[in-house]
Amino acid sequence: MAMSYAIEVSGEANPLSLPILYRTLTAAASSDPQQIKSSAQQLQNWEKQSGYYSSLQSIFVDVSLPVEVRHLCIIQLKNGIDKYWRKTAPNAIKKEEKDLIRSRSVESGTNEPDHRLALQNALMLAKVIRYEYPLEWPDAVSSIVSNLRQASQPDGNPLRLTRALLILLEVIKELSTARIQRTRTSLQAASLEVLQVLGKIYLDKVQTWMTFFHQGGSDEGGAINSVEQSLLALRVLRRLLIAGWDSPNRSNEFKELWNLLSIHLKDMLSMALQESSSLHENVRRLVGKHLRQIAKLHVNLAKAHPSGFALLPSSVELVSTYWNLVHQFGETYGSRSFTAPGPGIAQSGDDIDQSIPIPEYLSLRGLLLLRACVKMVFNPAQTFRYQQAQDKEEKAQSRQIIKESILTESFAQAAMQTLVSRFFVFTQRDLGDWEDQPEEWERREEGEDDTWEFSIRPCAEKLFIELVLNYKEQLVQPLLSVFQNVANLQNKDILQKDSVYGAIGLAASVLEEKLDFDLFLRNTLARESQTDQPGCGILKRRIAIVLGQWLPVKDKLDRPLVYQIFQHLLDKNIPSNDLVVRITAGKQLKNVIIPFDFRFEQFEPFATTILHRLVALIEDVELNETKLALLNTLLVLIQSVEGKIAPFADQIISVLAPLWEQAGTEFLLKQSILGILSSLISAVRDESRKYHALLIPLIDNSVDVNSETRIYMLEDALDLWINILQQTPSTAVSGVIPLVPHLLPMLEVGSDTLRKALEITETYVYLAPAQMLASASVVLAPLTTLLKGSKREVTGLVLSIVELLMQSALHLGGSEALTSFISQLVELNFLQTILVGLRGAHEAHQTTGPNRAKTWLDVLVETDYYSILARIALASPNLFIDAVKVAAPALPNEPFETTISWILSEWFRHLDNISHPEKKKLSCLAVTTLLQTGQPWITVRLQELMTVWTEVVVELYDNDERKDDCLVYGDVESMKGANETAEQEGQRKLMFADPVHRFDLKPFIREHLQQAIIACGGNEAFQEKWVVNVDKDVLSEFSKLGIF
């Protein structure tokens, strides 16, 4: 390989050239850690250089080089596609380099001898096509199909065909998952061409190996190659047939292949299951893989294109074939005893696909196919795509075909009987797994995720639910008949009872009015939960599940008896209550407690024992998933009993503390613990102070910006923090003060936790106003930033906090403290920001018509802005004047009289928009207080003042009999609560110190109006100078108030 040229880049210690790149890759593929580290850094430096990725490909396509180096090349190239192929990506790969990479990808992948490298090249090419097809590379699919056509020639190299199929597989995989409609449409346009070539390859290869294995021949190696190639072609076809057509029933080519696959299903099934077959085990395994692919196609098509599936030829016969397989497999499924061990825990996902025997796998797919048919008829998928008349007609026709030809009433009854009697029964493997790995088995059986699709019994349960819900009238009575024959104490068939009870539990919502469950509970379940015969653990587990299924849907049950049963099932001292039974009872207890008619007095006699056993169970289990589920039950229990959990708080805390330490980096578990602690603190209220020593460090560690756990724990830690503050008594406030510094980093624009941080800050103002005022400048700095560029909700919280700080300053330190606080607002440009916002609102309101200016200031935010100014004015008019004068330079150069004029104009205009009574009275008090100044800029607005006074007084003195202001409260101690927290105490004291709640508005107006009259030189002078300018109607309405 020639490597003599170089691509020089200035500023790099090592210029990019093929020889240097090859040496670097060789070092990176070595086992020397130092070489690997330095080489990796060099490769990373080259990533952004032009020519790097095409150079990687140049080394990759040279098959004479070591495989390890070439493998590293293709991995680097594949990863680079994600980073730099998009045009908008920083340092994107240039078009010329892209063209070079594209031109060599298909041919090099087709000739690649190493399967591992061929796969990586195919993955890389698929990523490129996803970005490029169809706009930048319109013939991408056609060129790959052309390459496939050439590779499939009779005299061609078998390896080239295998590699070409692999490339097409990865490309179709990638394109079929594309969300862009343009890409999907282009794929559908090319699908017929692909199908014609690919279908012929598949058919030729299947005929080749089937002929060989049925009739014999000398080319066994060629037959094996044909099996592998037909499987690869089938894998491509499975994806192409789903993604390539929206209405597969309208395509003749599709229907032709569909019929062919139906025939192959029967032929291959016979080959795979024939005991006397002389097929080698490896061949039998490959034939089985063909069957799996065909079965997947059938199920996927029924889900993706239900109407098309139903209207395809022989679909009804196909479903019948699958149901026959299901029925036959049911004859041997399930256990007849509970003593046989199993082979171990089943796996999941693709591992299950390959490990499940063919009969079981096809039966599983048959159940999934039947469920898809039920959903097709009774719960069809909705679509936003416009439907033509033909689409609607086909949809109705397909539902009719499935309902009349497959889902008949007799079929539903037979299917229910088969499912309950055959597939609800535990297998010997299940029973063995129960004994060997109880926690893992129980977790798998719970099946909350999609793992049910890989196991017969959970899948059968899903199908059973669909049938019972949609065939209530036909299935309820037969189900009850079976139940009545089985549900008696004389019947000792544990496995039969388990399956029938399971059906009754699943059908709870349908049977609630048909079955006397309370009688069943008292006469049967209560007694069977106490039994100790062999295998009774199976029945005990089922009893816990059935109770958890029935209590949420059935009211007026004997709940104390249910609690007694769960108390018994959680007792570890009873031998039959093994770990599976206790875990199931612990999880189902949540469903028993959740119902709305839960009453603690019924639960109370059992609370101590149940809680003790539940907590002990949490300590006994090992899997984190199980711990999480049991902790969730504990959380529901705490939330349900609320304050009555207090006697058990110490016990709960004693378990959670070591569990936190054991959790380590299992952050989901720690989040659950924080959630429980948060609910527990809310329940025990002021008793929470004795847990501060434990909880404060947890919060401190979880919210610290330098903590590694912060990213995982912050949200839950903030909830706990809020609850602790809300329940902290006044005697324990000092314990929560050290957490305050953690708030500052969270008071940033765009922070996900900003709202909660602001709520916590507000709570601290109530709890510890003196301490918050002492560090006011530190808190105000980020609040000022938030005021300038936040949403209305955030701005409202910011202004509320500042207003509370102003009230606290005046309440604790009088006018001197408030003056100091106002000076900080000025220094930080807080007041300037308010004035700028108000000025913009005023100017906008001076314009009219379609081209009128708009203000960014929200009505509610403007109310809060004026509330800040009102607090200053109400405390001291002179302080208000000084503050406005100092803050005014932020506005265009204008005299104070101009500034105060537009402030008051906008204020009086806005007063009509204030709907909150307290806010409106506050502004009314403030503008009234300004009369003390005796300045013309306020007295000249006497008409506006009288209008506001009349409106507000009428609202506050809301009827003729009322003689006082409805917002004026009595003694500060009169409203003290029995269990008042420090936050509530702070709220109460500030509320009673607020002039809004201290000053009766009528006397207040009278007093300040009289001061203005005296300052003017008496009533006559006041009349002549100011009252004469007031509108007669306004004056008349105001005079009726008896103030003037």
Side-chain angles (χ1 to χ4, degrees), residues 209 212-213 219-229 280 282-283 286:
W209 62 260
F212 176 85
F213 293 125
D219 189 9
E220 182 176 357
I224 297 296
N225 278 337
S226 295
V227 178
E228 294 175 345
Q229 289 169 346
H280 187 274
N282 183 48
V283 175
L286 290 172

Side-chain angles (χ1 to χ4, degrees), residues 435-718:
E435 294 294 330
D436 296 340
Q437 301 184 48
E439 278 193 64
E440 183 62 36
W441 181 87
E442 194 282 332
R443 183 196 63 78
R444 176 166 56 88
E445 282 299 306
E446 190 174 22
E448 293 183 349
D449 51 19
D450 289 339
T451 55
W452 62 269
E453 293 189 353
F454 302 101
S455 184
I456 285 282
R457 189 172 58 260
C459 187
E461 290 176 352
K462 296 286 186 181
L463 177 58
F464 171 81
I465 293 173
E466 296 284 351
L467 290 173
V468 170
L469 288 176
N470 295 295
Y471 291 91
K472 297 184 182 71
E473 296 180 1
Q474 295 79 19
L475 298 186
V476 166
Q477 195 53 51
L479 181 59
L480 288 176
S481 298
V482 174
F483 168 73
Q484 290 164 0
N485 292 332
V486 171
N488 58 75
L489 299 176
Q490 290 71 39
N491 183 5
K492 303 300 181 182
D493 190 337
I494 298 284
L495 294 176
Q496 183 189 38
K497 279 189 174 183
D498 178 75
S499 62
V500 174
Y501 287 6
I504 294 300
L506 292 171
S509 60
V510 175
L511 299 176
E512 59 169 320
E513 301 297 333
K514 307 292 184 180
L515 173 64
D516 188 347
F517 189 80
D518 194 54
L519 181 66
F520 174 51
L521 168 65
R522 286 185 278 105
N523 292 348
T524 306
L525 292 184
R527 296 183 183 181
E528 289 180 334
S529 67
Q530 308 291 323
T531 187
D532 208 25
Q533 72 181 88
C536 66
I538 295 173
L539 198 55
K540 287 186 173 185
R541 170 185 174 272
R542 181 60 61 186
I543 289 171
I545 294 174
V546 170
L547 291 175
Q549 291 168 326
W550 269 85
L551 261 74
V553 301
K554 186 73 173 178
D555 56 0
K556 298 180 181 179
L557 292 177
D558 188 347
R559 291 189 176 276
L561 179 57
V562 173
Y563 302 142
Q564 183 180 350
I565 291 174
F566 273 87
Q567 178 180 262
H568 178 79
L569 295 179
L570 287 168
D571 187 356
K572 67 185 298 182
N573 295 317
I574 298 175
S576 57
N577 290 350
D578 60 17
L579 194 57
V580 170
V581 172
R582 288 184 287 123
I583 290 174
T584 305
K587 289 182 177 181
Q588 294 299 326
L589 181 62
K590 174 187 67 176
N591 298 325
V592 170
I593 294 172
I594 279 180
F596 66 92
D597 55 346
F598 172 83
R599 298 201 302 273
F600 180 73
E601 57 270 20
Q602 294 179 326
F603 182 72
E604 187 173 13
F606 314 97
T608 302
T609 305
I610 287 180
L611 190 60
H612 173 75
R613 290 174 179 174
L614 178 62
V615 169
L617 179 60
I618 294 173
E619 294 182 288
D620 289 344
V621 298
E622 296 179 358
L623 289 180
N624 286 325
E625 293 89 340
T626 308
K627 290 182 185 291
L628 280 170
L630 296 175
L631 286 172
N632 191 30
T633 298
L634 181 59
L635 175 62
V636 170
L637 184 59
I638 293 171
Q639 293 172 340
S640 298
V641 304
E642 296 179 339
K644 299 179 179 65
I645 198 69
F648 314 104
D650 289 348
Q651 182 183 2
I652 295 172
I653 292 290
S654 67
V655 172
L656 296 181
L659 188 59
W660 176 276
E661 297 298 328
Q662 296 167 14
T665 58
E666 295 293 336
F667 297 115
L668 283 177
L669 194 56
K670 286 189 170 182
Q671 289 170 359
S672 179
I673 293 172
L674 288 178
I676 292 174
L677 290 172
S678 184
S679 295
L680 187 63
I681 293 302
S682 297
V684 301
R685 296 182 64 79
D686 59 342
E687 290 296 317
S688 64
R689 64 182 182 277
K690 63 182 179 181
Y691 305 121
H692 281 192
L694 172 67
L695 302 182
I696 299 298
L698 292 186
I699 298 173
D700 182 79
N701 180 258
S702 299
V703 303
D704 189 344
V705 292
N706 298 316
S707 172
E708 296 179 357
T709 64
R710 186 176 190 268
I711 188 174
Y712 307 103
M713 314 301 300
L714 185 58
E715 287 282 346
D716 298 280
L718 288 178

Side-chain angles (χ1 to χ4, degrees), residues 1013 1016-1028:
I1013 292 172
C1016 189
N1019 189 55
E1020 185 176 347
F1022 188 75
Q1023 289 279 351
E1024 293 177 357
K1025 189 173 184 178
W1026 304 115
V1027 177
V1028 70

Side-chain angles (χ1 to χ4, degrees), residues 940-959:
V940 76
R941 297 180 180 274
L942 185 59
Q943 177 171 311
E944 294 171 286
L945 282 166
M946 287 185 174
T947 302
V948 170
W949 290 335
T950 302
E951 181 181 346
V952 178
V953 167
V954 169
E955 289 181 6
L956 300 183
Y957 298 77
D958 53 4
N959 57 58

